[in-house]
Amino acid sequence: MMANLLDFDLDGLAVFCERLGEKRYRAVQLFRWIHQKGASSFDDMSDLAKSLREKLKVCAHVKALDVISQHISSDGTIKWLFDVGGGDAVEAVFIPEDDRGTLCISSQAGCAVGCRFCSTGHQGFSRNLRTGEIVAQLWFAEHFLRKHLHRDDRVISNVVMMGMGEPLQNYSELVPALRVMLDDHGYGLSRRRVTVSTSGVVPMMDRLAQDCPVALAVSLHAPNDTLRDNLVPLNRKYPIAELMDACNRYLAHAPRDFITFEYCMLDGVNDQAEHARELVSLVRQHSSGGVWCKFNLIPFNPFPESGLIRSSPEQVQAFARILSEAGIVTTIRKTRGDDIDAACGQLAGDVKDRTGVSDRIVRQRTFMLKPVATINKEVKET
Ligand code: SAH
Ligand code: SF4
């Protein structure tokens, strides 16, 4: 079987090269060709010995994902739908800003968590992406964008794991992918500029803190267990108090000194003044132990099956004011790419026809994608 070299972090590639009788520095060269120069053909890798190139050709390839569609917005936002086989597809979105370029990528086809307000959750779980399929979204986007924007330097400065899927339920494939992003011979991204977003898989938050601490966003969406149990079913397993403790433990290792709490604003469900006040006391209670956090309010992007409604802008503002006045940095996510439906919750994600009639990609459903970077001017780093 051919090995897909996108599946390896640098250590993995070194082991692979060793098996071929090659030294580690050859793996470094190969890794740089693939990730820094975007090469996929061994013949292009001119400083690799011809003998190595011939060896590689018989046992390895750089297997990217097929692009099903690409949409470019007038504001520069670009979204791609990638075929991952078997009738599944996943999406990635590039969000350009003056001082950064953010890529939002997927970790799974579908999602098993089943949050009520999330279209991906409503689709159900199809499968975990492999490391190479996670990395391929970045590999493709970065090298496409350099050509498209006529740039020699790096275009993508930030990655957010906020596409389809729960990244911490695909932990073993996620971590090597993060390492490729962070590696100086790979994409060389700062830990502070790679964000994992989770619905709260507590044990895996602890493992991530040890294995590969990057910036963390936690999808909170409710100030108490009764409400959160209903919106984010995983809360029944890992309730809010445990989640807050896990955030605290994570902060001891995190590259940033705060956790971002994401909060999807649902009309009449979780957007009342009492909910905001309850959040303030939740966070205060835990901030005695040092939980520093910022809130990112996401106006809900509706989809038909949800039965939920987006909070009004006034309601979102009023909610934000209560948090801000209590001293919590709060931002409201803006949408980008409206003309190509790339805004939160409007992405046409995967898809498999779950009726089982066909496994072709028969239907485009919306799923949520969240241009986090658009948002938070205050959190901007240098
Ligand atoms: N599974 C991870 C990451 C992917 S979802 C997580 O839940 O954190 C990324 C973000 O988009 C989450 O905060 C999620 O709650 C939010 N989201 C999902 N569906 C949405 C919708 N329809 N409108 C607005 N935000 C949504
Ligand atoms: Fe899964 Fe995140 Fe959607 Fe919840 S919000 S169903 S965890 S992708």
Side-chain angles (χ1 to χ4, degrees), residues 74-222:
S74 53
D75 68 12
T77 302
I78 305 180
K79 71 167 179 174
W80 295 278
L81 185 65
F82 294 103
D83 189 354
V84 294
D88 287 314
V90 297
E91 226 159 3
V93 176
F94 172 68
I95 306 118
E97 290 178 284
D98 294 344
D99 61 339
R100 64 173 78 181
T102 301
L103 188 71
C104 179
I105 64 186
S106 298
S107 56
Q108 299 179 313
C111 182
V113 177
C115 300
R116 267 189 59 195
F117 49 83
C118 174
S119 178
T120 306
H122 278 245
Q123 282 171 24
F125 177 65
S126 190
R127 70 172 177 87
N128 281 326
L129 296 189
R130 299 189 49 134
T131 296
E133 293 171 320
I134 299 172
V135 170
Q137 299 168 63
L138 173 59
W139 181 85
F140 173 84
E142 173 65 30
H143 298 291
F144 167 84
L145 288 164
R146 285 191 203 171
K147 283 189 214 104
H148 177 68
L149 303 172
H150 308 290
R151 279 174 54 175
D152 301 326
D153 57 331
R154 191 172 67 187
V155 178
I156 294 164
S157 58
N158 296 56
V159 170
V160 294
M161 299 299 308
M162 295 185 179
M164 256 175 143
E166 169 48 59
L168 295 187
Q169 288 188 339
N170 185 15
Y171 189 80
S172 60
E173 300 295 317
L174 172 74
V175 168
L178 296 175
R179 292 195 174 123
V180 174
M181 297 173 199
L182 301 175
D183 201 304
D184 283 340
H185 297 297
Y187 298 86
L189 300 180
S190 148
R191 285 182 188 281
R192 299 156 53 87
R193 291 170 171 266
V194 173
T195 302
V196 167
S197 175
T198 181
S199 54
V201 190
V202 164
M204 294 300 143
M205 290 165 63
D206 287 324
R207 284 187 59 186
L208 189 67
Q210 299 299 327
D211 295 341
C212 193
V214 292
L216 189 69
V218 170
S219 295
L220 191 57
H221 308 310

